[in-house]
Amino acid sequence: MVAPTVILSGSRKDGRVSVHVLDTFRVLTDDRPIVVGSSGRRLIALLATRREPVTRKQASRFLWPDRADARAAARLRVTLCRVRSACPGLLSESDELRFADDVWVDLWSARGLAQRLLHTSCVWNLVGLLRQPRCADSSLSLLGHDLLPDWPEPWLCGVRERFRQLRLHALERLSAAFCAIQRPHEAARVVGLAVTAEPHRESARRVFARALSLAMGDMLMRTGPCDARSLGQPASEPTGAPSAIWACPGDGDPR
């Protein structure tokens, strides 16, 4: 049976509006930055964190919780007018607030990639993904950053933490998959981001140690028995069958 191919959707398509909320906030049209005010940025970020439409009442209460409903609604109307003027193709024309259908959002793509990694139980079903050109680079561009880490908005806190745990668990799974197909250097590079984000995360440290062990074994095989003995290390092949390597610690319970 041929393993199904997993498609890595890690970048926007040219000619579309793109919204970036991982690490820093940006709105681009054909690689040109769109300038919006503070209220506009907050509104766009709110919509980016939610796939479902948001009512005007919900948006005004999220963005201006300390204002009376009438004043918050008035500020929302002004903000919507300015956003639509700055970037006409960004928002849908429906009564509820949501992006237009062809808008690309980096957070949505990152969530989709992470879910595919975590819900594919067999490593060999990920071979199609891992063999795509620059798979590690594309994955790191999506899973390598937190959601607007410097923003203090209260409505971001829960979404930010849930995405953080999702991406760290996905990085561990992707690293284990690279180990299983004997690509330990990419494995170490991927899971190294999880270790950097949470240095005391035991599941990430174990996967990182496994990747380093395989990389060292690969180096010893390349240098040969004489060089290995000169380093005080036994010359041996890397150990661990792919099935054992794929048994990623912390499955279903990211730490």
Side-chain angles (χ1 to χ4, degrees):
M1 180 183 296
V2 178
T5 300
V6 183
I7 302 301
L8 176 64
S9 55
S11 60
R12 68 178 182 83
K13 295 182 179 179
D14 291 336
R16 290 165 54 179
V17 179
S18 61
V19 176
H20 303 255
V21 290
L22 299 181
D23 193 25
T24 57
F25 178 90
R26 290 176 298 152
V27 179
L28 304 176
T29 300
D30 292 329
D31 291 328
R32 293 183 297 103
I34 303 300
V35 179
V36 293
S38 173
S39 294
R41 291 194 297 271
R42 293 169 65 232
L43 173 61
I44 294 169
L46 175 65
L47 299 182
T49 61
R50 289 158 172 79
R51 292 298 297 260
E52 69 280 0
V54 177
T55 67
R56 291 174 180 249
K57 188 174 184 178
Q58 288 173 330
S60 60
R61 286 183 173 177
F62 272 123
L63 299 176
W64 298 283
D66 56 338
R67 302 296 177 93
D69 287 350
R71 296 195 64 181
R75 295 199 65 173
L76 179 62
R77 287 194 295 271
V78 172
T79 300
L80 283 170
C81 182
R82 291 175 177 172
V83 169
R84 287 194 166 106
S85 176
C87 190
L90 177 62
L91 299 179
S92 169
E93 296 299 328
S94 62
D95 291 336
E96 293 183 311
L97 302 179
R98 64 181 181 85
F99 292 135
D101 291 338
D102 60 347
V103 172
W104 183 86
V105 182
D106 60 354
L107 176 62
W108 299 356
S109 290
R111 282 173 173 165
L113 173 59
Q115 293 293 347
R116 286 196 295 274
L117 289 169
L118 295 175
H119 292 163
T120 304
S121 58
C122 177
V123 64
W124 306 116
N125 290 341
L126 287 174
V127 170
L129 167 67
L130 302 178
R131 287 179 176 170
Q132 290 186 39
R134 303 180 67 83
C135 170
D137 292 338
S138 299
S139 300
L140 295 183
S141 70
L142 288 174
L143 301 176
H145 302 285
D146 281 326
L147 169 63
L148 297 174
D150 298 328
W151 283 36
E153 307 295 334
W155 46 267
L156 264 178
C157 295
V159 182
R160 180 189 293 129
E161 183 57 26
R162 286 192 295 273
F163 174 69
R164 178 183 178 84
Q165 294 305 317
L166 177 69
R167 77 176 184 86
L168 295 183
H169 199 192
L171 287 170
E172 293 169 0
R173 179 59 60 90
L174 181 60
S175 177
F178 275 128
C179 285
I181 63 172
Q182 300 300 311
R183 287 163 64 177
H185 300 284
E186 289 165 289
R189 181 181 170 211
V190 167
V191 79
L193 284 178
V195 175
T196 300
E198 290 190 7
H200 300 293
R201 185 182 176 92
E202 293 182 8
S203 55
R205 288 164 64 94
R206 285 196 294 267
V207 177
F208 188 62
R210 183 180 306 156
L212 290 183
S213 176
L214 288 173
M216 180 62 71
D218 180 67
M219 183 190 74
L220 293 176
M221 288 190 66
R222 291 174 184 273
T223 56
C226 293
D227 290 340
R229 284 193 294 270
S230 68
L231 293 172
Q233 299 289 338
S236 61
E237 295 186 5
T239 60
S243 58
I245 294 172
W246 179 243
C248 188
D251 278 0
D253 182 23
R255 299 179 184 178

